[in-house]
Amino acid sequence: LTPLPDWDSDNLAKWTVEIPVDLVAGSKVNTVTATSGTTDTNMTNNTATANCDSTAVSLISFTAETAESGVLLKWETASELDNLGFNIFRADDPEAEKVRVNPAMILSKAMGSTSGAFYEFLDEDVETGKMYYYWLEAVDFALTKTLYGPISVE
């Protein structure tokens, strides 16, 4: 058995712990405690707490690919709790002004649901060989907006 590196011997050592959270609206507090099969000389650094605010959309994926007549954007959600719909934004540079490319909001297929859906949008107003950056905006029933991205495609 090979021990994992620790902070004392390798200051770049870090562990990532993923904690699943039930999809319920509102604020969450997650606490995790790490334990070991060996003696731990410092028990004060074994617990971490994070505060999280739930968003209306739990996004599984957001991708862009070149297509014959433009850029095809695809996204999939796991849930759309209180979600009204989506907007797509594009820019030539990640720091440039974002411009909405969909003419009207793309309405949620699972509006207010704990189930998700799959979406596609074709951006036809693009030039061949040019790099584009895209953002996906989710808009909930209270008109609160959450931005995902950017993703890029050439």
Side-chain angles (χ1 to χ4, degrees):
L1 230 108
T2 304
L4 292 171
D6 64 20
W7 186 261
D8 290 333
S9 62
D10 180 357
N11 65 357
L12 298 177
K14 69 176 183 176
W15 299 0
T16 302
V17 178
E18 294 183 10
I19 306 168
V21 177
D22 292 334
L23 298 172
V24 179
S27 183
K28 308 285 178 280
V29 176
N30 296 318
T31 301
V32 63
T33 301
T35 59
S36 164
T38 59
T39 303
D40 186 351
T41 58
N42 184 359
M43 297 298 287
T44 62
N45 65 355
N46 292 357
T47 300
T49 301
N51 293 319
C52 309
D53 290 321
S54 298
T55 59
V57 171
S58 178
L59 191 65
I60 293 174
S61 65
F62 176 42
T63 61
E65 59 188 52
T66 56
E68 190 174 307
S69 55
V71 173
L72 182 60
L73 297 144
K74 298 178 183 179
W75 65 100
E76 184 178 4
T77 61
S79 68
E80 298 185 23
L81 205 60
D82 299 328
N83 190 59
L84 185 60
F86 300 94
N87 290 307
I88 304 280
F89 291 87
R90 179 186 67 218
D92 297 340
D93 182 275
E95 302 301 320
E97 181 182 348
K98 300 168 189 68
V99 177
R100 192 172 98 176
V101 296
N102 53 304
M105 183 182 290
I106 301 162
L107 294 179
S108 171
K109 293 180 182 178
M111 196 175 291
S113 174
T114 56
S115 63
F118 180 79
Y119 299 85
E120 290 185 350
F121 178 82
L122 181 63
D123 183 8
E124 297 176 289
D125 189 24
V126 295
E127 298 175 25
T128 303
K130 189 172 179 179
M131 179 69 76
Y132 291 102
Y133 296 85
Y134 289 93
W135 291 261
L136 177 67
E137 178 186 67
V139 182
D140 71 12
F141 290 160
L143 302 181
T144 302
K145 299 171 182 176
T146 304
L147 203 59
Y148 301 93
I151 58 172
S152 60
V153 66
E154 185 174 352

